[in-house]
Amino acid sequence: ERRAAWMDEGWASFFPRRVVEKYDSTFDYQAYRVAAYVGEAGNYKDMPMILPSYMMTRGEIRNNFYNRPANAYEELRNLLGDDLFFKALREYINRWHEKHPIPYDFFFTFDDVVGEDLSWFWKPWFFELGYPDLGINDVEIDGNNLILTIKKVGNIPTRIAYTLIYDDDTKENFTASAFRWKNGDYAIFKHSLDRKLKKIILGDYLIPDVNQKNDVFIVN
């Protein structure tokens, strides 16, 4: 608790979502957690979680103990899917029940159960200064063919969501896993269009993104 408070408080901030959604439909719990993190991500209050928690000042506690880890766990859940995520989480609990795990025990247990080295995810979320920011990097339209390039501007990986809006105001929503960022900072998506495209909007209010100015492309 004193050395890695996010290993306790982060889960205490992550788990209530489903309970709140079940019993209080008037409060969007996850939107609250995302907004709280985005409001401080990358600023002087946002320190790497791997630093000993007893080094944190009062200004850093809310973000580093609660909001950043809660968002990291949510992105991890979306990355792995519910079945694999909760399988790994239960194994972590079983292995370390009534013991004293350190952060690496958490990371290595998940790697073991998932069967993959997730250091590309752990490192930016838990070890580095930085922030999540995806942006529309390039749009090419050639006839009915669309090539959309999205850039991971910030160093922290998140899942991808974007919407194609057409001239008749119809919309198509698309999503992609954060695995897209495992080997690079660019993700390319190709679409065959059957209507005239008006606008592309990147992001979702449940995905942390500190800069929304690079999330909209308007077709001339």
Side-chain angles (χ1 to χ4, degrees):
E1 172 70 12
R2 292 190 66 246
R3 185 171 181 177
W6 55 269
M7 295 181 71
D8 178 0
E9 306 298 355
W11 290 113
S13 303
F14 168 82
F15 282 123
R17 177 181 180 179
R18 295 189 179 192
V19 178
V20 174
E21 289 176 348
K22 181 176 180 179
Y23 293 104
D24 184 5
S25 60
T26 65
F27 179 57
D28 194 330
Y29 181 86
Q30 189 59 24
Y32 161 75
R33 284 294 177 197
V34 170
Y37 169 52
V38 168
E40 296 183 348
N43 72 17
Y44 70 96
K45 296 180 182 179
D46 187 25
M47 303 299 292
M49 287 186 283
I50 200 65
L51 292 175
S53 297
Y54 52 73
M55 294 176 59
M56 304 294 176
T57 68
R58 190 171 188 85
E60 291 141 10
I61 286 175
R62 181 178 65 177
N63 193 55
N64 291 67
F65 292 11
Y66 301 93
N67 294 323
R68 181 165 173 168
N71 277 270
Y73 296 147
E74 179 63 19
E75 287 300 317
L76 181 62
R77 184 185 70 82
N78 278 278
L79 177 70
L80 301 178
D82 277 358
D83 290 346
L84 189 53
F85 173 80
F86 286 111
K87 178 183 179 182
L89 180 57
R90 291 187 182 99
E91 180 60 22
Y92 167 61
I93 292 170
N94 290 335
R95 288 184 185 183
W96 293 97
H97 177 62
E98 295 186 348
K99 299 177 183 178
H100 301 281
I102 62 174
Y104 293 96
D105 298 317
F106 165 62
F107 302 143
F108 293 157
T109 299
F110 264 71
D111 284 358
D112 184 35
V113 174
V114 172
E116 182 166 345
D117 179 3
L118 295 173
S119 58
W120 64 271
F121 182 90
W122 306 130
K123 188 170 182 284
W125 269 107
F126 294 88
F127 290 80
E128 295 180 349
L129 292 166
Y131 52 86
D133 177 24
L134 303 184
I136 296 175
N137 183 74
D138 188 49
V139 176
E140 298 180 32
I141 301 176
D142 182 9
N144 294 328
N145 298 312
L146 166 67
I147 301 176
L148 169 64
T149 303
I150 296 173
K151 181 179 180 180
K152 182 166 68 68
V153 181
N155 62 314
I156 292 181
T158 64
R159 63 195 188 279
I160 303 167
Y162 61 93
T163 302
L164 303 184
I165 302 177
Y166 299 94
D167 265 5
D168 59 4
D169 289 327
T170 57
K171 301 178 181 180
E172 284 189 291
N173 298 313
F174 300 90
T175 59
S177 165
F179 271 115
R180 289 279 187 149
W181 310 122
K182 180 179 178 180
N183 297 312
D185 294 337
Y186 294 89
I188 298 175
F189 301 92
K190 298 180 180 181
H191 297 275
S192 180
L193 305 174
D194 59 3
R195 286 158 286 173
K196 182 173 176 57
L197 187 65
K198 180 168 67 174
K199 184 188 299 184
I200 303 172
I201 298 178
L202 174 65
D204 182 293
Y205 74 102
L206 295 179
I207 302 175
D209 190 327
V210 300
N211 178 23
Q212 298 181 6
K213 293 180 180 180
N214 56 9
D215 292 348
V216 179
F217 179 85
I218 298 176
V219 180
N220 294 325

